[in-house]
């Protein structure tokens, strides 16, 4: 018979029949009872239970990570990056332990050691991923953990937001290093990176957005670019200023399914990095162009909702604290 226990607002089911042990967690008792009935029937009928994780002493944390990488991650847009992160976690000896030994204390020890190796933001991202994996394992696969240990430890503090601005002088230095005259269509990889940099400064678009939109997404007459899928999962229309339209009009139109910017995100990043270092501007990142554009737009768009519609931010507070970096001298003049 199945045992159903209420724990922390959820209902945990445990089944032990014919040498097979299963467990899972559900939000309601009714869901738990239905699942228990179905699983017991499958066990009695000797049906295939490969889709379930059979709880045993040999199941390790790495086993759970691997199952998530192979079954859940491929369904996500950021599959490649997530796959790399999970493979790194799988190589960490800290996770070569039975799943039941992944306690709050064990995870806190791993967190503190990891903070000596990488930046706090990286550790925070890894913890978010581990938490997602464990939630899936507990609720979907029947892994016998009483709770998600990630939720029981302190998260690394967010680093202070960057406040790097991009002056016109620095912009021109980088573009000159990339060998583009800003008057003719880009041809080489370096010139395309310079074009993408200028477009980011004119639109506040992200790197991935710039490298992915096609000619079918560009509506020059209507003055916007349609982004079907953005980082936060939503679509949005990016308004185009006169400056942005002038940039895009330099290009030779192609068929609808051809990408407007002929460079991949990874090549863009590596080429931009080399150029900025060559001119002594190591502190500038490509993403700072989005911050610079947002700050300039904020001077023209007093309504924060209009500004968030342009940049695609859902969180107004994040938009204000992280991306809006006004010049105090300009604000002071407005006070007089």
């Amino acid at each position: 018979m199945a045992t159903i226990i209420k724990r922390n607002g959820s209902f945990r089911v445990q089944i032990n029949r014919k040498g097979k042990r299963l467990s899972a967690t559900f939000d309601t008792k009714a869901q738990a009872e239905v699942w228990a009935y179905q699983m017991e029937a499958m066990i009695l009928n000797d049906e295939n239970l490969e889709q379930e994780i059979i709880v045993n002493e040999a199941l390790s944390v790495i086993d759970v990570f691997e199952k998530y990488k192979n079954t859940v991650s491929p369904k996500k847009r950021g599959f490649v990056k997530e796959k790399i992160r999970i493979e790194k976690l799988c190589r960490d000896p800290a996770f070569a332990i039975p799943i039941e030994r992944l306690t709050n204390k064990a995870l806190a020890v791993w967190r503190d050691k990891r903070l000596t190796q990488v930046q706090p933001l990286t550790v925070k991202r890894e913890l978010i991923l581990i938490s997602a994996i464990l939630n899936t394992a507990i609720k979907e696969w029947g892994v016998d953990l009483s709770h998600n240990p990630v939720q029981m430890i302190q998260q690394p503090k967010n680093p202070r937001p960057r406040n790097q601005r991009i002056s016109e002088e620095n912009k021109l230095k980088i573009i000159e290093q990339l060998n583009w005259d800003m008057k003719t269509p880009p041809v080489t990889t370096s010139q395309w990176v310079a074009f993408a940099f200028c477009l980011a400064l004119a639109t506040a678009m992200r790197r991935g957005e710039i490298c992915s939109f096609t000619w079918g997404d560009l509506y020059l007459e209507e003055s916007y670019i349609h982004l079907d899928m953005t980082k936060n999962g939503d679509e949005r229309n990016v308004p185009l200023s006169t400056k942005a339209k002038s940039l895009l009009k330099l290009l030779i139109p192609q068929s609808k399914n051809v990408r407007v910017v002929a460079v991949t995100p990874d090549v863009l990043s590596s080429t931009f990095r080399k150029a900025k270092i060559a001119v002594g501007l190591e502190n500038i990142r490509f993403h700072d162009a989005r911050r610079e554009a947002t700050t300039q737009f904020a001077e023209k768009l007093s309504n924060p909702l209009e500004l968030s519609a342009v940049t695609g931010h859902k969180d107004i507070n994040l938009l204000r604290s992280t991306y809006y970096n006004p010049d105090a001298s300009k604000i002071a003049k407005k006070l007089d």
Side-chain angles (χ1 to χ4, degrees), residues 36 46 94 133 174 237 244 274 277 331 333:
D46 293 321
I133 294 172
I174 293 173
N237 292 328
K274 292 175 183 177
I277 292 174
I331 293 179
K333 292 178 180 179

Side-chain angles (χ1 to χ4, degrees), residues 225-237:
I225 296 170
H226 176 73
L227 300 178
D228 189 53
M229 180 67 74
T230 62
K231 184 179 179 181
N232 58 26
D234 293 336
E235 62 178 345
R236 85 172 190 276
N237 292 328

Side-chain angles (χ1 to χ4, degrees), residues 6-196:
K6 187 175 182 180
R7 180 184 292 165
N8 298 327
S10 298
F11 293 86
R12 187 158 194 77
V13 189
Q14 292 180 321
I15 300 173
N16 189 354
R17 300 202 85 171
K18 297 179 69 172
K20 295 179 179 179
R21 293 181 58 216
L22 298 176
S23 63
T25 302
F26 298 90
D27 294 330
T28 68
K29 186 176 182 181
Q31 291 173 333
E33 290 174 340
V34 170
W35 182 84
Y37 175 80
Q38 293 174 339
M39 291 301 105
E40 286 190 317
M42 292 176 71
I43 292 172
L44 292 173
N45 293 330
D46 293 321
E47 294 185 31
N48 187 1
L49 292 174
E50 287 184 359
Q51 71 273 24
E52 300 296 326
I53 288 184
I54 307 301
V55 180
N56 57 64
E57 293 181 357
L59 183 69
S60 70
V61 179
I62 291 176
D63 291 331
V64 175
F65 287 174
E66 288 282 0
K67 182 176 177 70
Y68 190 92
K69 181 190 73 175
N70 295 330
T71 62
V72 179
S73 296
K75 302 173 184 177
K76 300 182 179 181
R77 290 179 62 237
F79 165 57
V80 175
K81 288 186 177 180
E82 182 165 287
K83 177 176 177 287
I84 293 171
R85 288 195 184 104
I86 293 177
E87 288 174 347
K88 278 187 178 180
L89 293 173
C90 288
R91 292 193 294 269
D92 194 320
F95 298 117
I97 58 174
I99 189 68
E100 62 269 19
R101 286 175 53 191
L102 187 64
T103 61
N104 311 349
K105 182 178 179 181
L107 204 53
V109 170
W110 172 84
R111 175 204 61 201
D112 293 342
K113 181 180 179 181
R114 191 72 175 130
L115 284 170
T116 66
Q117 302 168 337
V118 295
Q119 295 297 317
L121 188 57
T122 299
V123 180
K124 191 165 187 175
R125 286 171 178 158
E126 291 173 342
L127 283 171
I128 290 172
L129 176 57
I130 293 171
S131 182
I133 294 172
L134 295 179
N135 279 338
T136 300
I138 292 169
K139 294 185 177 182
E140 301 288 340
W141 301 338
V143 170
D144 193 14
L145 284 176
S146 61
H147 62 278
N148 185 338
V150 178
Q151 298 173 356
M152 305 298 290
I153 66 173
Q154 289 186 342
Q155 298 287 316
K157 292 183 179 179
N158 287 328
R160 294 180 63 183
R162 285 174 58 81
N163 57 8
Q164 179 69 51
R165 296 291 301 270
I166 298 178
S167 66
E168 185 67 15
E169 179 185 358
N170 289 343
K171 167 191 166 182
L172 293 176
K173 282 183 180 180
I174 293 173
I175 293 173
E176 182 179 355
Q177 178 63 30
L178 291 167
N179 197 30
W180 187 49
D181 61 9
M182 294 190 291
K183 298 176 182 178
T184 56
V187 177
T188 67
T189 296
S190 293
Q191 290 172 353
W192 274 113
V193 171
F195 176 86

Side-chain angles (χ1 to χ4, degrees), residues 303-334:
N303 186 335
L305 293 178
E306 287 184 338
L307 183 59
S308 66
V310 173
T311 63
H313 286 94
K314 287 186 175 181
D315 188 338
I316 299 296
N317 290 327
L318 177 67
L319 175 61
R320 179 192 60 79
S321 62
T322 304
Y323 286 91
Y324 176 47
N325 183 25
D327 186 325
S329 297
K330 290 183 178 179
I331 293 179
K333 292 178 180 179
K334 293 181 179 181

